[in-house]
Amino acid sequence: MKKFILSLAVFGVVLTSCGGDDDAGFDCVAASQDISTKLTAFIEDDSNANCLAYRASLQSFLNNGCTGAQSTQFQAALDDLDCN
């Protein structure tokens, strides 16, 4: 499951790396890259703290109006994430 989530995060970074920001006040590209960084940390150490950080990054991306294919993928990753 973690490899699947990692693939989604990398795919999201690739999709957003060539586009502009969806909102001038929030950098969706940087947020996508942050998700990838947090996911890598979570895969390397699946501690609750890393899970919560990854979840917060996903939620931030989604709450700030970032759109595109990665939004659907990140929502699915968030829905499947269990930080308990």
Side-chain angles (χ1 to χ4, degrees), residues 56-77:
S57 291
L58 287 167
Q59 196 66 58
S60 177
F61 180 91
L62 295 167
N63 287 348
N64 282 288
C66 299
T67 60
Q70 70 276 11
S71 295
T72 302
Q73 295 164 343
F74 290 163
Q75 183 64 58

Side-chain angles (χ1 to χ4, degrees), residues 10-34:
V10 170
F11 182 68
V13 170
V14 170
L15 285 178
T16 60
S17 65
C18 296
D21 294 346
D22 292 332
D23 182 333
F26 187 81
D27 187 348
C28 293
V29 173
S32 182
Q33 292 167 343
D34 184 57

Side-chain angles (χ1 to χ4, degrees), residues 1-8 39 43 76-77 79-81:
M1 181 63 179
K2 288 183 183 178
K3 288 182 182 180
F4 175 72
I5 294 172
L6 177 61
S7 297
L8 291 177
L39 175 60
I43 289 171
D79 292 343
D80 289 341
L81 192 61

